[in-house]
């Protein structure tokens, strides 16, 4: 959101001529006659958008809206945030990655991971498992600890026993396997909804008692249809309240049969 | 002459004040990279139609508010199926021009070049198309931003992809990339984009858009930009890339059908002070 | 031990204008088991005879898929081929990453040709002891290239290299006119028959000792081995019961 104001006019008003950005800052102290130049280039921007992942008993779903923004501008209404990892040869286990934040870093990260998984297969003669891939992604992010990829990443696949596997990351590589995670601009809007609807937070078994005797409702593996509806609801709601989210919803449903891709329209306002 | 060679031939400190040595590359300071653009070009506008893409820029290179160079061509033809439009720093554009020239030469001497004796379609399809070119440029831009040494440009790549379908995508100084039925950089993102989106709101609409419709929308957009963008000019370049026609480049177009009737009624500054 | 005084390194010409080390390297190719490649208008096919060092060991790798659109077959030093194939893999990936374009077969062949030539002109280096057939499909259609240790590369319609490959080439020359219009399966059959002609008396192509690689227009390069090639072998050599009593029991139904 801070990026919105980057192109704003300079504070001195419209009298400027040659220099449109306030690049010269008068340095303190008597020694510097001309002042020091500030770094005028900021290598990041926020392209907005939101992502979400939920894992189930034998599937995992990744979803992201397709709007790309810079400030109040919409760059495009269709810029996918979801990437397939490791090629789509028939015998490769399906892995997908969602990245949201600075889109150029996201694309670079997805491309690096994809290359690594492809080279792993070439060198070892077998595909990379999702757990190994997840850890490698963490390393990729941490490798750039001091010039980070400015993205929230979610990796989805199926683990060795065929269960849905979902890993979420911060920009510098901390990661964790989870049931569900929302990322990006509307994460703070979607995540509480997911806590309640996927992990049944703040839900109790009706009539189980009063006070401490009240039993929390136990989470179970949600069926695929329910999860798809949750994803859809999460995004239609986020679109209502967040200006950087909208235009289209892209979903990747990862099952043992491969990756099924779904696209649905969202509001374009 | 004293024994401070650095002071020789320079104004005396006691008369003119301390010499500003900041421009001499300070041995102790960090290596200086571009911090801001100097000579700049304004918007690039482009939109797809059913058989190709229209792209346009004006011919102005500004030095701040000064309209410094009035005959600078900011569209560059790469080959028969790709044209680039540059906004932002003009010297960085010229660097990219040289980079693309060397790429072009390398390609044309390589195994990708179509042999002179065969002119069939499959032969030509081996050379770089607009999509290949955009991928390459986005890597260059991203590498440079990652080195904190950006090429201060916003670039539109217009042309045909590997399947001969219309292709339009953007790359900028941060390495960000995106693609849409219509694109505009700089001021055009505010003024031209809404006009073009009325014609091609989505990919489906592109199939129903003729070359004439697209060309008119782009020329209209250039006019509105000239009206309202203070860093624009009424001479401009427009290129149309299509499968049948290849690249048609018109580099010295004059903005036509301007209406300044409203200007009479404007009071308060300029010649009509009150 | 030495044949003459001019074969100690690959930078010295003999008075007859030959570089013996390079020629010896080409002998190494002839030691390798035979591989065959053919192209039609729509497909490119590689077929290879795999050897096992002993009955207890596994069979050698003869065909290596490099990128989605092409692969190589090798005859000679497998370790040298691995170095080359790693290089080719990297170059192919780099082309896809930098330009989003599948590298052309002519280009990748030129690049390994150049690498091999460097080895024939620097003291202390040794030529690659391997010959390659590079087959696949790029923007200009199906292609087959031959690569030799000398750095010589050439585009071929059909080609066979390796031990006793003269017999395979004879077959290919005789059937040259049929290849261009061949269907996918016909092309595989031609390749298998050419391969068969190079076998010594009494040996047969089996699912264990044969590899086939196929690429086509809008069909990615794929390596076929084991039971995947059984039907091709059966279709190619329908009446081969005679001369192999031992195996006929299994082959016959």
């Amino acid at each position: 959101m801070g990026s919105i104001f980057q192109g704003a006019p300079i504070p001195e008003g419209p009298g400027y001529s040659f220099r449109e950005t306030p690049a010269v800052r008068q340095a303190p102290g008597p020694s510097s006659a001309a002042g020091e130049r500030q770094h005028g280039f900021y290598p990041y921007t926020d392209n907005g958008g939101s992502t979400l992942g939920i894992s189930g008993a034998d599937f995992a779903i990744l979803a992201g809206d397709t709007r790309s923004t810079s400030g109040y501008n919409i760059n495009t209404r269709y810029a996918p945030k979801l990437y397939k990892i490791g090629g789509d040869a028939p015998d490769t286990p399906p892995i997908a990655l969602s990245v949201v934040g600075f889109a150029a870093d996201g694309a670079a990260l997805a491309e690096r991971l994809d290359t690594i998984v492809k080279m792993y297969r070439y060198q070892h003669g077998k595909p990379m498992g999702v757990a190994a891939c997840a850890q490698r992604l963490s390393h990729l992010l941490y490798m750039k600890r001091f010039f980070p990829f400015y993205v929230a990443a979610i990796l989805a696949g199926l683990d060795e026993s065929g269960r849905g596997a979902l890993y979420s990351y911060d920009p510098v590589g901390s990661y964790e396997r989870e049931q569900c995670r929302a990322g990006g601009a509307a994460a703070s809007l979607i995540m509480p909804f997911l806590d309640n609807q996927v992990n049944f937070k703040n839900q109790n078994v009706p009539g189980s008692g009063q006070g401490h005797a009240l039993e929390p409702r136990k989470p179970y593996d949600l069926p695929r249809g329910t999860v798809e509806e949750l994803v859809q609801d999460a995004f239609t709601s986020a679109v209502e309240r967040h200006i950087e989210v909208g235009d289209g919803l892209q979903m990747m449903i990862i099952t043992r049969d491969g990756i099924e891709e779904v696209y649905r329209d969202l509001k374009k306002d | 002459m004293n024994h401070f060679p650095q002071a020789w031939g320079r104004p005396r400190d006691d008369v003119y004040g301390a010499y500003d040595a900041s421009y001499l590359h300070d041995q102790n300071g960090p290596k200086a990279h571009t911090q801001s653009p100097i000579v700049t070009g304004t918007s690039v506008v482009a939109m797809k139609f059913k058989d190709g893409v229209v792209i346009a820029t004006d011919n102005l290179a500004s030095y701040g508010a000064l309209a410094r160079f009035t005959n600078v061509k900011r569209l560059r033809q790469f080959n028969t199926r790709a044209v680039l439009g540059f906004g932002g720093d003009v010297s960085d554009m010229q660097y990219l021009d040289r980079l693309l020239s060397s790429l072009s030469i390398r390609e044309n001497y390589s195994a990708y070049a179509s042999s002179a004796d065969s002119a069939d379609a499959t032969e030509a399809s081996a050379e770089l198309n607009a999509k290949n070119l955009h991928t390459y440029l986005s890597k260059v831009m991203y590498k440079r931003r990652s080195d904190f040494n950006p090429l201060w440009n916003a670039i539109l790549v217009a042309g045909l992809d590997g399947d001969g379908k219309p292709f339009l995508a953007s790359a900028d100084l941060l390495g960000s990339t995106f693609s849409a039925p219509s694109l505009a950089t700089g001021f055009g993102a505010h003024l031209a984009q809404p006009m073009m989106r009325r014609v091609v709101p989505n990919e489906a609409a592109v199939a129903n858009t003729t070359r004439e419709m697209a060309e008119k929308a782009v020329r209209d957009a250039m006019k509105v930009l000239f009206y309202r963008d203070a860093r624009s000019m009424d001479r401009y370049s427009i290129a149309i890339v299509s499968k049948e026609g290849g690249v048609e480049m018109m580099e010295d177009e004059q903005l036509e059908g301007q209406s300044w009737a409203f200007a009479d009624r404007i009071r308060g500054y300029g010649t009509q002070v009150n | 031990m030495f044949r003459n005084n001019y074969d100690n390194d690959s930078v010295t010409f003999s008075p007859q204008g030959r570089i013996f080390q390079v020629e010896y390297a080409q002998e190494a190719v002839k030691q390798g088991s035979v591989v065959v490649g053919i192209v039609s208008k729509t497909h490119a096919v590689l077929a290879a005879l795999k050897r096992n060092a002993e009955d207890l060991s596994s069979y050698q790798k003869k065909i290596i898929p490099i990128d989605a659109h092409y692969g190589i077959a090798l005859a000679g030093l497998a370790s040298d081929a691995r170095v080359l194939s790693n290089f080719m893999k990297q170059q192919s990936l780099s082309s896809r990453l930098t330009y989003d374009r599948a590298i052309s077969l002519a280009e990748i062949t030129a690049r390994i040709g150049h690498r091999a030539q460097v080895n024939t002109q620097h003291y202390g280096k040794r030529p690659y002891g391997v010959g390659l057939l590079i087959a696949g499909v790029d923007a200009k259609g199906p292609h087959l290239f031959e690569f030799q240790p000398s750095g010589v590369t050439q585009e071929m319609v059909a080609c066979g290299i390796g031990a006793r490959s003269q017999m395979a080439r004879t077959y290919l020359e005789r059937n040259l006119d049929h290849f261009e219009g061949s269907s996918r399966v016909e092309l595989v059959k031609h390749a298998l028959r050419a391969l068969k002609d190079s076998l010594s008396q009494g040996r047969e192509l089996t699912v264990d000792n044969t590899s086939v690689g196929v690429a086509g227009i809008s069909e990615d390069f794929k390596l076929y081995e084991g039971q995947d090639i059984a039907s091709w072998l059966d279709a190619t050599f329908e009446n081969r019961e005679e001369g192999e009593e031992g195996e006929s029991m299994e082959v016959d139904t």
Side-chain angles (χ1 to χ4, degrees):
Chain A
M1 283 291 285
S3 61
I4 291 170
F5 302 105
Q6 276 197 347
I10 60 162
E12 294 97 273
Y16 61 88
S17 58
F18 301 130
R19 203 159 35 234
E20 302 210 352
T21 49
V24 175
R25 178 204 279 164
Q26 204 62 42
S31 59
S32 56
E36 283 161 20
R37 284 185 73 78
Q38 201 187 13
H39 267 281
F41 176 63
Y42 185 68
Y44 294 114
T45 189
D46 184 357
N47 295 109
S50 225
T51 57
L52 147 60
I54 300 175
S55 71
D58 56 352
F59 69 92
I61 287 186
L62 268 189
D65 71 317
T66 64
R67 178 176 289 182
S68 162
T69 64
S70 56
Y72 290 132
N73 286 328
I74 295 174
N75 292 326
T76 174
R77 298 191 193 280
Y78 188 73
K81 293 177 184 61
L82 270 41
Y83 297 86
K84 290 179 182 169
I85 299 297
D88 41 14
D91 54 339
T92 45
I95 298 177
L97 173 72
S98 75
V99 278
V100 62
F102 176 34
D105 271 352
L109 180 67
E111 205 165 63
R112 281 200 196 185
L113 187 66
D114 185 56
T115 308
I116 284 164
V117 174
K118 281 176 175 162
M119 281 310 284
Y120 181 100
R121 188 193 177 79
Y122 176 74
Q123 281 166 346
H124 296 80
K126 63 178 184 189
M128 198 179 208
V130 70
C133 186
Q135 189 163 92
R136 191 64 181 79
L137 177 57
S138 166
H139 291 154
L140 273 179
L141 289 160
Y142 194 79
M143 267 164 53
K144 272 169 65 73
R145 173 66 179 77
F146 296 107
F147 183 22
F149 286 118
Y150 226 136
V151 292
I154 304 172
L155 189 79
L158 299 175
D159 67 14
E160 58 278 9
S161 61
R163 284 188 63 81
L166 195 75
Y167 296 85
S168 66
Y169 298 79
D170 80 349
V172 289
S174 308
Y175 80 115
E176 177 180 27
R177 185 171 171 179
E178 292 183 294
Q179 277 302 114
C180 61
R181 171 59 65 181
S188 56
L189 276 62
I190 298 176
M191 202 60 219
F193 169 72
L194 257 34
D195 284 339
N196 182 249
Q197 291 295 309
V198 178
N199 291 323
F200 299 147
K201 292 280 159 62
N202 298 314
Q203 289 197 51
N204 299 309
V205 179
S208 57
Q210 292 288 315
H212 290 295
L214 206 55
E215 264 182 57
R217 190 175 164 207
K218 287 218 163 49
Y220 57 92
D221 289 321
L222 298 173
R224 181 177 151 178
T226 310
V227 171
E228 277 185 51
E229 279 170 17
L230 283 177
V231 170
Q232 179 78 49
D233 289 351
F235 273 92
T236 39
S237 310
V239 169
E240 291 296 328
R241 287 290 183 175
H242 201 117
I243 56 166
E244 290 176 355
V245 182
D247 293 334
L249 171 61
Q250 186 196 16
M251 272 201 267
M252 283 187 180
I253 300 137
I254 297 137
T255 64
R256 71 171 75 84
D257 302 321
I259 299 178
E260 196 181 313
E261 245 187 294
V262 180
Y263 174 85
R264 296 203 183 106
D265 277 336
L266 290 174
K267 279 167 76 173
K268 294 185 168 49
D269 59 0
Chain B
M1 222 167 281
N2 57 29
H3 48 267
F4 297 112
Q6 212 176 59
W8 294 351
R10 300 196 187 282
R12 283 171 54 176
D13 285 3
D14 52 344
V15 178
Y16 301 98
Y19 182 70
D20 175 9
S22 66
Y23 90 95
L24 295 169
H25 291 294
D26 189 359
Q27 293 83 355
N28 303 318
K31 187 177 177 300
H33 287 146
T34 310
Q35 304 295 325
S36 59
I38 308 297
V39 177
T40 58
T42 184
S43 319
V44 187
V45 299
M47 72 180 269
K48 292 196 216 177
F49 61 96
K50 63 183 164 72
D51 309 307
V53 191
V54 184
I55 183 171
T57 65
D58 67 24
N59 293 349
L60 178 68
S62 308
Y63 180 73
L66 176 71
R68 180 64 182 82
F69 304 103
T70 54
N71 193 28
V72 173
K73 306 295 157 56
R74 297 192 286 117
L75 290 186
R76 185 196 195 278
Q77 179 174 357
F78 184 75
N79 55 25
T80 57
R81 41 187 183 168
V83 172
L84 301 109
F86 292 89
D89 193 279
V90 170
S91 63
D92 284 349
M93 171 185 86
Q94 289 166 343
Y95 165 78
L96 282 166
D97 177 47
R98 294 194 294 276
L99 190 74
L100 291 170
S101 296
S102 70
L103 173 67
S104 179
I105 289 166
R106 203 160 64 236
E107 280 289 310
N108 285 309
Y109 277 100
S110 79
Y112 294 103
S114 43
S115 44
D117 55 325
S118 71
D120 70 288
T122 56
E123 282 284 292
S125 67
E127 62 180 351
L128 288 172
N129 56 47
K131 189 163 186 274
N132 298 145
L133 196 62
H134 175 258
T135 306
Y136 173 71
L137 266 177
S138 68
K139 301 292 150 103
V140 172
M141 300 300 277
Y142 185 71
K143 171 71 169 59
R144 291 288 295 258
R145 89 98 214 186
S146 299
D147 293 344
F148 275 86
N149 187 197
L151 292 163
W152 216 285
N153 298 106
I155 306 166
L156 296 189
V157 183
L160 304 170
D161 67 11
D163 303 324
K165 290 207 282 287
F167 177 88
L168 174 60
S170 153
D172 67 17
L173 73 167
L174 293 172
S176 304
T177 55
F178 43 85
S179 178
S182 65
L183 287 173
T185 72
F187 224 87
H190 299 99
L191 289 187
Q193 190 65 299
M195 300 174 67
M196 295 189 292
R197 276 187 186 154
R198 286 165 79 116
V199 185
V200 281
N202 49 47
E203 284 295 335
V206 171
N208 303 317
T209 306
T210 62
R211 177 197 151 127
E212 287 71 29
M213 291 159 73
E215 191 176 339
K216 181 175 185 312
V218 168
R219 285 183 192 269
D220 284 351
M222 290 306 286
K223 185 154 71 184
V224 170
L225 280 169
F226 176 58
Y227 284 153
R228 286 295 174 182
D229 180 357
R231 306 283 177 270
S232 70
M233 203 181 59
D234 57 352
R235 290 200 100 55
Y236 66 102
S237 304
I238 185 166
I240 297 156
V241 196
S242 63
K243 201 167 186 182
E244 301 74 37
V247 174
E248 294 163 63
M249 178 75 86
M250 290 153 276
E251 286 192 312
D252 203 19
E253 300 292 288
Q254 172 69 40
L255 214 55
E256 275 161 11
Q258 293 177 40
S259 164
W260 289 97
F262 71 93
D264 268 350
R265 297 189 295 278
I266 294 180
R267 302 279 146 178
Y269 59 94
T271 50
Q272 288 83 27
V273 185
N274 43 48
Chain C
M1 184 65 198
F2 294 117
R3 212 164 79 175
N4 56 56
N5 289 323
Y6 297 100
D7 67 354
N8 289 311
D9 56 63
S10 65
V11 299
T12 311
F13 280 106
S14 81
Q16 289 77 38
R18 299 162 63 180
I19 298 171
F20 284 104
Q21 279 300 325
V22 173
E23 293 184 19
Y24 298 165
Q26 276 161 331
E27 290 302 313
V29 177
K30 293 181 193 162
Q31 309 272 336
S33 65
V34 62
V35 293
V36 166
I38 318 178
V39 274
S40 70
K41 260 189 174 152
T42 54
H43 288 85
V45 164
L46 292 172
L49 175 70
K50 293 185 287 186
R51 269 200 294 235
N52 51 347
E54 47 182 304
D55 287 346
L56 293 173
S57 76
S58 60
Y59 286 87
Q60 215 190 351
K61 217 182 196 179
K62 293 292 283 182
I63 297 179
I64 308 174
I66 304 288
D67 200 349
H69 64 298
Y70 78 101
I72 58 171
L74 59 108
L77 287 181
S79 44
D80 281 13
R82 200 168 59 235
V83 169
L84 280 169
S85 74
N86 285 344
F87 172 74
M88 293 167 88
K89 177 86 182 172
Q90 274 168 13
Q91 295 288 311
S92 306
L93 269 175
S94 139
S95 172
R96 283 191 189 268
L97 290 181
T98 316
Y99 301 105
D100 193 14
R101 171 172 69 171
I103 199 165
S104 89
L105 268 68
E107 179 66 24
I108 191 66
T109 308
R111 288 187 194 177
I112 56 166
H114 177 256
R115 241 172 99 100
Q117 194 278 337
V118 169
N119 287 345
T120 69
Q121 218 179 8
H122 285 273
Y123 191 84
K125 288 195 185 265
R126 126 180 118 67
Y128 289 111
V130 71
L132 301 179
L133 297 181
I134 300 121
V137 177
D138 61 21
K140 293 185 182 182
H143 294 285
L144 171 67
F145 286 90
E146 181 196 4
F147 160 87
Q148 295 177 289
S150 57
V152 168
T153 60
Q154 49 199 342
E155 176 149 25
M156 309 293 280
V157 173
C159 187
I161 54 173
R164 301 167 57 89
S165 59
Q166 183 54 51
M167 317 285 274
R169 283 200 297 275
T170 306
Y171 174 88
L172 295 172
E173 282 162 20
R174 287 205 182 117
N175 294 279
L176 184 61
D177 300 336
H178 304 306
F179 297 151
E180 189 175 339
S182 281
S183 70
R184 183 176 185 270
V185 63
E186 282 168 29
L187 210 61
V188 173
K189 282 185 181 176
H190 278 306
L192 288 174
R193 283 197 209 102
L195 203 64
K196 163 79 164 56
D197 279 11
S198 281
L199 296 188
S200 50
Q201 206 70 47
R203 290 192 62 199
E204 285 295 338
L205 292 179
T206 68
V207 292
D208 292 323
N209 71 7
T210 312
S211 291
V212 176
V214 185
I217 289 170
S218 67
E219 176 190 349
D220 282 351
F221 184 88
K222 188 160 188 267
L223 172 61
Y224 297 89
E225 286 180 315
Q227 287 308 314
D228 293 341
I229 58 168
S231 59
W232 280 330
L233 286 174
D234 291 345
T236 314
F237 311 109
E238 280 166 56
N239 45 358
R240 69 167 176 186
E241 291 88 78
E242 64 260 34
E244 42 163 352
E245 286 81 20
E247 287 176 19
S248 61
M249 302 287 278
E250 302 167 23
V251 173
D252 247 341
T253 42

